Amino acid sequence: MLSPTPLSLFCALILCLPLVVIVTITSPTTTIHGGSEHDPVSDFALAAKTHQRFSVKPSPLPPADDKSLLPAASRVNSRTPPGLPKKIAFLFLTVSPLPFAPLWELYFNKTPKNLFNVYVHANPTYPYKTPFSGVFAHRVIPSKPALRYTPTLISAARRLLAHALLHDRSNHMFALLSASCIPIHSFNFTYETLTQSEKSFIEILNNEIGSYDRWAARGPDVMLPEVKLEDFRIGSQFWSLTRQHARVIVSDEKIWAKFNQPCLVWDTCYPEENYFPTLIHMRDPRNVVPCTLTHVDWNGSSNGHPRMYAASEVGPQLIVRLRNDKPRYDDAGINGSDPTLMRWRDPFLFARKFSPDSIRPLMSIASDLIFKD
């Protein structure tokens, strides 16, 4: 028997190479790093790493730590790709399960999947008995605890924005929502309202009662010199931002360094209601509609929380009344805002807070009322 020569071995290796290349390209990447079967963060990693067959260059996973994640997101293109549908990124910030998931499922049910993305920041210390499912499956980003009276709620929102920016260039508007939020219009109505706007919807209020106490909650001079009292603003933590403003937030270091400090007086410490309106006011006040599109009722509020609607209150009359209410705008277009806003009447698209047991009456009127405009 003849011994193989170097030349024959080389030829055999060349003949095998095409097979190796084909196997490498057509095998989808499904490995996840760490985590149990019901780990929501691992679910998001699985969705991000899985790519279509023959994909030559899969999208890399976003960095796990904020110090790498935010700079990476700040470098994305500020414009959505031409020729492709604009998408809305729905950002759910929750510290518990989502009691209105069935309502949101119905909301997204007949919607083309190329018009929206869903992202969830979930408290990793909460004992979730079942994983997020349906439209929320594999959509939980790597999350950290988010606590009231601390800047961690700001961090959570910034984290959601960063993941949404890195995940899909078609994300055009970014709507922040809580577990107690519900839609009060159809998806089509919401989509047209947001994608036709070139401005962000974020409540930016000046000269509010208690502004100084909030500004000085970390100490009388801590916010200086970067954030002067006259630049300090108050507003709802729930907003709908353009891609450009999403990049402004994830890129910010100077203003964030001031808000990312512990408060000395906790009962005047609501960083999530101050950081976003203050930053956008200081950076780009002309490209905002200074109102929130998430309805909330502060009459009868308790311990800093707005009124929560009980299941017995939920019905057609409540939804119609929420729709007919007018958002509150910045006072007379102060400091760069457009004074014509006082004549505008933007529609509320979402509402909060609803008790978890409201899901039954909400589902009973969803198809015939909530999702009909």
Side-chain angles (χ1 to χ4, degrees):
M1 182 174 180
L2 295 176
S3 300
T5 66
L7 178 61
S8 63
L9 289 174
F10 179 75
C11 293
L13 178 62
I14 293 298
L15 290 173
C16 292
L17 278 177
L19 178 61
V20 175
V21 172
I22 291 174
V23 170
T24 301
I25 291 178
T26 59
S27 299
T29 303
T30 56
T31 305
I32 59 177
H33 48 79
S36 64
E37 180 183 356
H38 292 164
D39 181 0
V41 173
S42 295
D43 286 345
F44 186 85
L46 172 61
K49 292 190 75 173
T50 304
H51 56 283
Q52 295 180 348
R53 292 169 64 102
F54 304 111
S55 175
V56 177
K57 187 179 180 181
S59 300
L61 278 172
D65 62 297
D66 290 352
K67 289 185 178 180
S68 301
L69 173 69
L70 297 170
S74 70
R75 294 190 293 267
V76 301
N77 197 312
S78 61
R79 297 182 179 275
T80 52
L84 294 178
K86 297 176 180 178
K87 295 184 181 180
I88 300 176
F90 291 84
L91 314 177
F92 289 85
L93 200 170
T94 182
V95 295
S96 66
L98 298 173
F100 302 113
L103 184 65
W104 287 105
E105 286 284 348
L106 194 59
Y107 178 77
F108 292 118
N109 188 32
K110 296 181 180 180
T111 302
K113 299 301 183 287
N114 65 337
L115 299 183
F116 72 94
N117 283 306
V118 171
Y119 306 89
V120 181
H121 188 286
N123 186 351
T125 66
Y126 188 91
Y128 297 94
K129 294 181 180 179
T130 57
F132 292 91
S133 60
V135 72
F136 299 101
H138 314 307
R139 303 316 306 156
V140 180
I141 68 169
S143 308
K144 297 180 182 180
L147 306 175
R148 199 178 181 208
Y149 309 121
T150 74
T152 56
L153 285 170
I154 303 174
S155 296
R158 280 161 54 95
R159 213 170 282 130
L160 280 164
L161 285 172
H163 276 274
L165 284 167
L166 288 167
H167 172 248
D168 195 334
R169 273 193 62 196
S170 294
N171 284 333
H172 174 73
M173 293 288 283
F174 302 74
L176 185 66
L177 302 161
S178 75
S180 64
C181 283
I182 68 162
I184 58 174
H185 281 283
S186 69
F187 177 89
N188 289 341
F189 184 93
T190 300
Y191 182 83
E192 293 299 321
T193 299
L194 293 181
T195 58
Q196 289 181 5
S197 175
E198 295 300 324
K199 295 186 176 184
S200 294
F201 296 91
I202 176 171
E203 190 174 56
I204 302 177
L205 303 175
N206 190 22
N207 297 322
E208 290 292 284
I209 297 175
S211 290
Y212 175 80
D213 293 334
R214 290 192 181 206
W215 178 79
R218 298 154 192 82
D221 299 318
V222 170
M223 302 299 283
L224 296 173
E226 287 81 3
V227 183
K228 300 178 177 64
L229 178 59
E230 55 265 32
D231 290 327
F232 191 77
R233 294 293 184 271
I234 293 176
S236 169
Q237 72 179 100
F238 299 102
W239 30 250
S240 298
L241 300 179
T242 62
R243 188 173 181 85
Q244 179 180 351
H245 284 157
R247 288 183 68 240
V248 168
I249 288 172
V250 300
S251 303
D252 173 53
E253 295 181 0
K254 186 167 66 172
I255 306 303
W256 166 238
K258 292 297 182 178
F259 282 91
N260 189 25
Q261 298 191 45
C263 290
L264 304 179
V265 185
W266 67 269
D267 60 346
T268 59
C269 186
Y270 302 97
E272 71 282 2
E273 295 180 359
N274 302 133
Y275 170 71
F276 299 107
T278 297
L279 176 64
I280 298 301
H281 160 74
M282 295 178 68
R283 293 286 189 266
D284 189 20
R286 291 191 176 277
N287 284 310
V288 302
V289 179
C291 72
T292 178
L293 300 185
T294 298
H295 187 286
V296 66
D297 187 355
W298 286 105
N299 294 320
S301 61
S302 175
N303 195 26
H305 290 287
R307 173 186 177 184
M308 178 177 286
Y309 298 105
S312 59
E313 298 178 85
V314 175
Q317 289 183 339
L318 175 62
I319 301 301
V320 172
R321 178 168 64 80
L322 297 179
R323 285 180 174 180
N324 290 337
D325 274 358
K326 180 181 178 181
R328 181 185 177 188
Y329 294 92
D330 179 31
D331 295 338
I334 295 173
N335 291 339
S337 295
D338 188 346
T340 61
L341 290 174
M342 301 307 295
R343 299 192 297 270
W344 288 10
R345 189 179 178 87
D346 296 287
F348 282 114
L349 303 177
F350 315 105
R352 60 186 289 268
K353 300 175 64 170
F354 286 79
S355 61
D357 61 342
S358 298
I359 183 60
R360 186 182 296 273
L362 285 169
M363 291 295 288
S364 69
I365 61 174
S367 297
D368 293 333
L369 176 67
I370 297 178
F371 302 146
K372 283 190 176 180
D373 303 303

